[in-house]
Amino acid sequence: MGSALIIDDSSTERSIISDFCQKLGINVTTAISGEEALEKLSQAVPDVIILDIVLPGRSGFEICRELKDKDQTKSIPVILCSTKATDMDKFWGKRQGADAYITKPIDQEEFNTVIKQFI
C-alpha cells in the first residue's frame, strides 16, 4: 500500500506504530533520532513520515522544519506524533510544516484515518 518512516526514540512506540502501519499493508522503516532519519532519507524516500517531537539531539519540530525546507523531502507528508497535546503544541507543529498531528497514546482508529489521507 505504501511506505512509512517512523522516527521515535521509544522502542515501544516504534513497535506500536509499526504494527498499526503493517496492519494497513504499509512497509515500515524506523529511526531512533532525527539524524538517523535524515541518513535513511538519503537512501529511500517514504510515502509518509511519522515523527515524534521529543527526540535525542534535535527535536521533531526542528527535523520537520528541515524536511519541509529541502526540495527532495518537502512533498513528503509529515505526521507529528507526540505526548505533547496542548493546542499550542499542535499549532507550533503545523507552523513547522507538519501535515497532521496525532497525540499519544495513539488511538488506532484515528491513526488509520489520518495515515490513509496520505497513502
Side-chain angles (χ1 to χ4, degrees):
M1 180 175 181
S3 60
L5 173 59
I6 300 166
I7 309 161
D8 199 307
D9 59 329
S10 163
S11 60
T12 302
E13 292 296 333
R14 281 193 316 275
S15 178
I16 290 168
I17 298 167
S18 293
D19 185 53
F20 288 171
C21 287
Q22 290 166 347
K23 285 180 180 175
L24 294 172
I26 298 168
N27 294 318
V28 172
T29 303
T30 62
I32 62 170
S33 69
E35 290 77 13
E36 181 184 357
L38 294 172
E39 183 180 311
K40 289 188 176 191
L41 284 166
S42 69
Q43 300 164 9
V45 178
D47 296 310
V48 67
I49 295 171
I50 303 158
L51 176 61
D52 187 18
I53 293 173
V54 180
L55 294 168
R58 298 167 55 203
S59 77
F61 289 137
E62 291 173 282
I63 298 299
C64 183
R65 194 169 47 245
E66 181 173 335
L67 293 171
K68 292 303 184 172
D69 283 342
K70 289 184 175 181
D71 286 340
Q72 63 269 36
T73 55
K74 68 181 176 185
S75 63
I76 304 170
V78 174
I79 301 169
L80 288 176
C81 187
S82 180
T83 55
K84 294 177 146 301
T86 69
D87 288 340
M88 186 50 123
D89 294 320
K90 294 174 186 178
F91 170 79
W92 191 243
K94 294 285 188 170
R95 296 273 301 165
Q96 305 314 302
D99 298 280
Y101 197 109
I102 297 174
T103 56
K104 295 176 186 175
I106 302 167
D107 176 80
Q108 186 172 2
E109 199 170 302
E110 176 189 10
F111 179 84
N112 292 350
T113 300
V114 170
I115 203 155
K116 286 177 182 178
Q117 294 173 21
F118 303 112
I119 292 187

